[in-house]
Amino acid sequence: VTAIESVRWSPSGDALRIIDQTRLPAELAELDLRTVDEVVEAIRTLAVRGAPAIGVAGAIGLVASLLPHVAEPTPALDARVLGHARAIRAARPTAVNLPWAVDRMLRAADAARRAGAGNAALLDALRAEATAVLDEDRAMCRRIGEHALPLLAGSAELSVLTHCNAGALATSGIGTALAPVYLAAESGRRVAVWADETRPLLQGSRLTAWELSRAGIPVTVIADNMAAALLRRGGVDAVLVGADRIAANGDVANKVGTYALALAARHHGVPFYVLAPWSTFDPACPTGAEIPIEERDPAEVRGGFGRATAPADVAAWNPAFDVTPAALVTAIVSDRGVHRPPYDFG
Ligand code: MRU
């Protein structure tokens, strides 16, 4: 149903190729990234975004940034691996998929050196590991969709509300929150999606609406402040959202506004499902209170897309994520199955 490849190897295998998500929906353009600074900048500016996608981008980007340095003395290359890994790891703080993927790459590097690998063999091992991260992410998306579908079986025509973008653009596969939507459409079932616009960077209206309409799936955009009225009106079978980090107790960090949606869904008796791959679970975080929440430039709230939306000198607060308490989550769906409260991912 969807053939979007938001993050992958360039065909020549020497660069990280991404869809530049800052230019959507106006323009579908790709970027090839080869240096650590380019990779960090692309993640920081949300050219590549969504928790699973930045994990994959971190893994492939790390390898691409190391390739030109294969002829360096071994200690210099080893120091470079750590330096690049540290920079990429720190590009954004909330999605645990990024440190998860980078740490996995460092373990692969360590294992290769212990096995006596020279520089070329080290980079071969890292390339294989990054490709595994990419392929596994794609497979996890599909499994998430398969596990979620039975939860959404009730109505002939499926109607869901989603927030931000947890679709193909945010992963290397068919997405997380949107995976059951794509699978339902694939099987011929009628499905319609309400997409929160997702202020201030509009991932819902720019990205979710773009990829769903491209796939021929009916999508209706609403401003974020319309969601509660929509849920009260009725007709929405479920709220489906992704996650950037899930704490051991089931608290969920996701795009800011997710918490408000969960509160409204609970009040109106609409099931609220979080869909995420196992790489998004952080057993080292006991509760949501320990999840680092990225604060972005207040200028993103005061204006954007070429237009001032507030006086230039007014104060603005811009947390990129919020935490939804586990108590408001009907179930969490991962590639391993459906998890119900009480959650214990420790
Ligand atoms: O700031 P973004 O656009 O990277 O935020 C993305 C989200 O909040 C997504 O819902 C989350 O990463 C899950 S994507 C499968």
Side-chain angles (χ1 to χ4, degrees), residues 21 43 46 48-54 92 95 97 163-167 170-171 175-177 198 201 203 207 241-245 253-256 258 275-277 280 294 296 320-321:
Q21 300 191 36
I43 295 173
L46 276 52
V48 57
R49 49 143 301 281
I54 64 174
R92 292 187 80 189
N97 307 62
H163 188 68
C164 193
N165 172 263
T171 67
T176 61
T198 316
L201 297 181
Q203 288 93 331
L207 308 177
V241 296
D244 285 81
R245 193 185 295 235
N254 190 49
K255 177 56 56 197
V256 68
T258 301
L275 299 88
T280 302
E294 176 183 9
R296 296 183 63 84
F321 302 96

Side-chain angles (χ1 to χ4, degrees), residues 219-230:
V219 54
T220 305
V221 174
I222 57 169
D224 302 330
N225 46 5
M226 299 165 190
L230 171 68

Side-chain angles (χ1 to χ4, degrees), residues 10 30 53 63 91 95 109 150 166 196 236 254:
S10 66
E30 291 184 316
V63 185
D196 270 359
V236 175
N254 190 49

Side-chain angles (χ1 to χ4, degrees), residues 94-149:
T94 302
V96 75
N97 307 62
L98 183 57
W100 171 86
V102 170
D103 290 349
R104 184 170 157 173
M105 297 297 289
L106 290 178
R107 285 197 300 277
D110 200 46
R113 284 296 199 213
R114 279 172 196 276
N119 285 357
L122 172 74
L123 291 181
D124 284 349
L126 288 178
R127 178 185 295 281
E129 191 69 7
T131 302
V133 169
L134 171 85
D135 291 342
E136 288 169 26
D137 183 64
R138 185 172 297 146
M140 285 193 286
C141 289
R142 204 156 257 280
R143 283 203 296 277
I144 291 168
E146 287 162 0
H147 287 305
L149 269 183

